[in-house]
Amino acid sequence: MPDLLYELNARDEITAVNEEWHCFARANAGAPLSSPEILGRSLWDFVRDVDTQHIYRLLHRRVRGTGAPVRLHFRCDAPALRRLLALELSAVGDERLAYHVRIMREEARISVRLLEPHSTRSDEFVTVCSWCNRVAAPPEGWLEVEQAVAALGLFDDVQPPQLTHGICGACDSLLQDGIGGATAEMVLAGL
């Protein structure tokens, strides 16, 4: 699949997306993410978790302040796919930013109901790391989704819990180290 591209203005509002953005959104049940629904809206309307927002805001400040791009890898899984993506965040003049996202690797897996976007959800919540897609499963720590489903007994419930996002300690450390460095080339959970 060709690279996904989108741009933000100085207020972090989405100003442009390419056709591949639309293809990816449709293929991942993200139909409400087409141009008319997102252009002119703040990125922060779509990134709700405070920790994740904080990391992105630091990345934005670094790129705008230095003009140097930031490169990192992150997971963006689908119910039946593990997906590793590469992101390059760069300045494109007058405080604008360009996001360039490339699919590096995809791996099929048995569909995980917890990740199905249209499942009816219980009132319970589980936290998923916004970067590596591991799930918080105390006291075991952060586990791959299949392991977390088993450890938390999520197959026992008629309805899967709601997903909320955060950042695991390992990814937070990598991101914090990368933000201060000359280049933030980080791999946050290979497949």
Side-chain angles (χ1 to χ4, degrees):
M1 172 175 228
D3 297 351
L4 294 94
L5 305 172
Y6 56 104
E7 290 188 10
L8 306 178
N9 65 18
R11 294 180 307 280
D12 291 336
E13 296 165 337
I14 300 168
T15 58
V17 297
N18 67 351
E19 182 56 33
E20 285 72 21
W21 165 277
H22 296 290
C23 293
F24 189 82
R26 283 190 300 271
N28 290 280
L33 298 177
S34 63
S35 291
E37 287 81 16
I38 63 168
L39 292 181
R41 290 184 60 190
S42 174
L43 176 67
W44 314 123
D45 291 346
F46 305 99
V47 180
R48 303 279 179 161
D49 173 67
V50 174
D51 293 332
T52 306
Q53 276 191 16
H54 177 70
I55 294 292
Y56 272 110
R57 288 179 194 276
L58 290 173
L59 291 169
H60 288 185
R61 187 175 327 144
R62 181 178 177 275
V63 171
R64 285 181 173 128
T66 66
V70 171
R71 295 175 189 90
L72 57 91
H73 291 83
F74 66 99
R75 291 269 296 273
C76 182
D77 291 357
L81 285 175
R82 285 186 187 88
R83 191 182 294 124
L84 182 66
L85 304 180
L87 166 67
E88 179 173 299
L89 177 58
S90 57
V92 289
D94 68 345
E95 299 290 311
R96 290 179 300 130
L97 296 172
Y99 276 74
H100 183 133
V101 181
R102 173 175 292 149
I103 297 173
M104 301 299 291
R105 189 169 44 233
E106 288 183 330
E107 177 183 292
R109 66 169 169 212
I110 295 172
S111 188
V112 178
R113 190 166 146 239
L114 179 66
L115 300 178
E116 291 287 344
H118 302 297
S119 289
T120 302
R121 303 287 175 166
S122 72
D123 291 335
E124 302 293 319
F125 285 87
V126 295
T127 303
V128 178
C129 178
S130 295
W131 300 96
C132 69
N133 256 15
R134 289 187 177 108
V135 177
E140 288 86 358
W142 293 81
L143 304 174
E144 288 293 333
V145 67
E146 295 89 349
Q147 296 168 318
V149 166
L152 296 172
L154 298 178
F155 286 127
D156 301 340
D157 297 330
V158 175
Q159 298 175 330
Q162 297 178 54
L163 302 179
T164 185
H165 288 81
I167 298 176
C168 71
C171 291
D172 185 48
S173 293
L174 284 170
L175 286 163
Q176 294 293 345
D177 290 345
I179 290 168
T183 302
E185 183 64 44
M186 301 165 280
V187 176
L188 303 175
L191 296 177

